[in-house]
Amino acid sequence: MQKRFIGLLLSCLLCLGVALPALGEAEYEKYTTRFFGTFDTIITVSGYAQDEAAFTRIAAGAEALFQHYHRIFDAYSLYDGVQNLYVLNRDGASGPVKVEPELLELLLYCREMQPLTNGTFNVALGAVLSLWRDAREAAEENPNDAAIPDINALKAAAEHVNFDDVIIDEEAGTVAFADPLLRLDVGAVAKGYATERVAEAMLAGEMPSFLLSAGGNVRLGNPPMDGRQRWGVGIQDPDVLAIGDTGSQMLDTLFTADTSVVTSGDYQRYFVVDGVRYHHIISPETLMPSDYYRSVTVICEDSGWADVLSTALYLMPYEEGRAFVDAQEGVEAYWMLADGTTWMTDGAMAMAKSQGASARD
Ligand code: AMP
Ligand code: MG
């Protein structure tokens, strides 16, 4: 009798749209922590754990894994006993370099994905990108003397950007550069790729309901365990320099779960010359920052692929980018054009707060 009454009460509440936590969920609480020192950004870990001790242990594991990948993909520093990207860029022209298996895997991933991006995304663009990086760093030190790289120097560097010259020997675990002036830059993919590896570990662990936010790269695990069906992920307004997940300073908020939300934007890294902003996403064609957008956000499950795609889409004019995304399985996108207008795929629209979406059904 009592059971029937509870059953009836439950179905009434559900009919009324009252969200109830699933059995056992009440034991879970949300915790959040932040750390800095990997991938040049603040990384936020949130998740629903049974107690604080469990959360702290899991978040420490995530941080250690980010640290692990950071050292291997770091192109600017040496670490004792780590055959990382710095070592490869330094020695790759002199012959095969034994690299960490994770770096070999990342390069194999890029070799597979790069041809799918309409000639926009190229990790072998390092020689060109380092000229832009030098110019940006010089501008940060002496803003009054800020200047863009010499176009002839850019053109000369662009002679050495063919990924086919990266010789990967999977059996030997080595990589060599057939072109002595080629350099690799994995800035467009490494953070998302590493985030996906961390997410894989977390999904298989005891806190599968999580949000990982690594400066423009967000990876969501299972839905939050507080009755909401979806997490809310803010898309930053390029003109508002604020860090936060949701709120009025956002361009929009996307409600979703079990996926990645990755943004490339002109506000993330840039310098100014004569009032013109030069950002960090460089067209292999013009060798200049592309000026179609303020930001492009990609929503798809794999964070590595989302990272590749956000950079690639940033370099495609809207019509081409839209056709490109429409042809992809499970990929949605949200564009903010240079003039401030926004466009989104139907799937992105269904997630967008501006279109009426919410965290609950
Ligand atoms: P993201 O913020 O993911 O769009 O990546 C931007 C970073 O990717 C830059 O800071 C560069 O290190 C690198 N990058 C810029 N242009 C390209 C490109 N066309 N292909 C591959 N990597 C690029
Ligand atoms: Mg990217």
Side-chain angles (χ1 to χ4, degrees), residues 174-193:
T174 62
V175 182
F177 300 156
D179 177 343
L181 295 182
L182 182 145
R183 294 294 177 272
L184 292 168
D185 182 319
V186 297
V189 57
K191 195 166 54 171
Y193 183 89

Side-chain angles (χ1 to χ4, degrees), residues 85 102 117 123 136 143-144 185 220 231 233 249 260 262 272 279 294 312 356:
L85 185 57
E102 292 88 338
T117 61
V123 289
R136 189 174 67 239
N144 293 332
D185 182 319
L220 307 166
W231 300 88
V233 181
Q249 79 272 32
S260 300
V262 175
V272 176
H279 63 74
R294 303 301 315 279

Side-chain angles (χ1 to χ4, degrees), residues 139-163:
E140 277 160 11
E141 258 172 52
N142 286 310
N144 293 332
D145 297 334
I148 65 169
D150 176 61
I151 186 67
N152 292 318
L154 286 170
K155 282 183 181 161
E159 297 292 316
H160 306 284
V161 299
N162 188 347
F163 195 78

